[in-house]
Amino acid sequence: MVEAVRLADREGVGELSMRQLARALGAGAMSLYYYVASKEDLLDAMIDFVFEEIELPPEETDWQSAMRRRAVSARQVLARHPWAIGLMESRTSPGPANLRHREAVTACLRRAGFTVMMATHANWLLDSYVYGFALQESSLPFDTADEFADIAEGVFLPQLPPDEFPYLNESAAVLAAAGYDPAEEFTFGLDLVLAALEPLRAPHVSLHP
């Protein structure tokens, strides 16, 4: 499984085949079918591997801190495995790590006082934010604040004459000079989402143990 994930990290999941994986393992393609019945089974196991890497929301802290840690961890994991972003919610035969993760997230929200319906809304909202940010981040032409500043000054600003694009020109110049780091946008938006969900919970609802 580790080798399959490494191949997907390096070449993308679209190029992954049983034959390619067998070559990487130094085995015959048919021998892999002893362990997985099809490529779909392989993808199920690979996504389970990814879920295993994501930190579960801890039980010993408040719900916002717990879900924040889980979301930050998920973003970091998806940055290592960007091929997985579009597959995380697609599996109809989820593995044990996948199910443990979903149970822990649901338990965290329910214990915080969210009703079943509201916990579902919160889960969808948080996952949509994490996956959407991870997808956008994976396509950016820079990785660090320094790289952003170099591109802003050397690539963006020359295309933004101030008489035609005054606000974009101003934004690019100010952000580059300020050492702006786009990576910080994740926690900025995440905290807004968590704060917006807080009033929607009912601390005194009856919960399962």
Side-chain angles (χ1 to χ4, degrees):
M1 190 51 51
V2 174
E3 187 59 37
V5 170
R6 284 175 180 164
L7 283 171
D9 290 345
R10 187 168 65 246
E11 301 179 20
V13 75
E15 301 301 317
L16 181 64
S17 68
M18 301 293 275
R19 188 180 302 276
Q20 181 190 33
L21 178 57
R23 275 199 308 269
L25 293 171
M30 295 306 296
S31 67
L32 295 183
Y33 289 99
Y34 179 80
Y35 301 99
V36 288
S38 65
K39 183 176 178 180
E40 285 302 305
D41 284 349
L42 177 63
L43 290 175
D44 285 341
M46 292 169 66
I47 290 300
D48 210 51
F49 182 95
V50 174
F51 269 106
E52 186 70 48
E53 292 187 345
I54 300 174
E55 180 181 358
L56 300 179
E59 297 183 6
E60 67 276 5
T61 187
D62 65 278
W63 81 270
Q64 286 199 37
S65 298
M67 294 304 292
R68 192 179 196 272
R69 281 177 58 177
R70 174 257 182 180
V72 168
S73 175
R75 177 214 178 182
Q76 293 169 342
V77 170
L78 292 173
R80 295 196 298 269
H81 311 298
W83 55 269
I85 298 170
L87 295 174
M88 297 292 281
E89 302 299 317
S90 71
R91 313 323 299 163
T92 56
S93 298
N98 188 332
L99 292 175
R100 280 196 302 272
H101 183 92
R102 296 180 188 282
E103 175 68 14
V105 168
T106 303
C108 178
L109 294 171
R110 292 287 287 121
R111 288 168 182 157
F114 291 96
T115 64
V116 169
M117 189 62 70
M118 198 56 66
T120 302
H121 292 330
N123 198 353
W124 272 87
L125 179 59
L126 287 162
D127 281 354
S128 296
Y129 178 75
V130 172
Y131 296 150
F133 193 97
L135 181 63
Q136 182 179 31
E137 191 171 41
S138 71
S139 67
L140 293 176
F142 45 80
D143 293 320
T144 66
D146 289 340
E147 290 178 3
F148 170 80
D150 290 341
I151 290 180
E153 293 172 343
V155 178
F156 295 155
L157 275 173
Q159 301 177 66
L160 302 171
D163 56 334
E164 188 174 358
F165 304 106
Y167 293 105
L168 289 177
N169 179 283
E170 176 191 41
S171 294
V174 169
L175 293 175
Y180 168 74
D181 186 355
E184 295 177 357
E185 295 294 350
F186 181 76
T187 50
F188 177 83
L190 177 60
D191 287 343
L192 288 179
V193 171
L194 293 171
L197 289 170
E198 172 64 25
L200 302 180
R201 67 191 185 99
H204 301 298
V205 300
S206 176
L207 302 178
H208 294 293

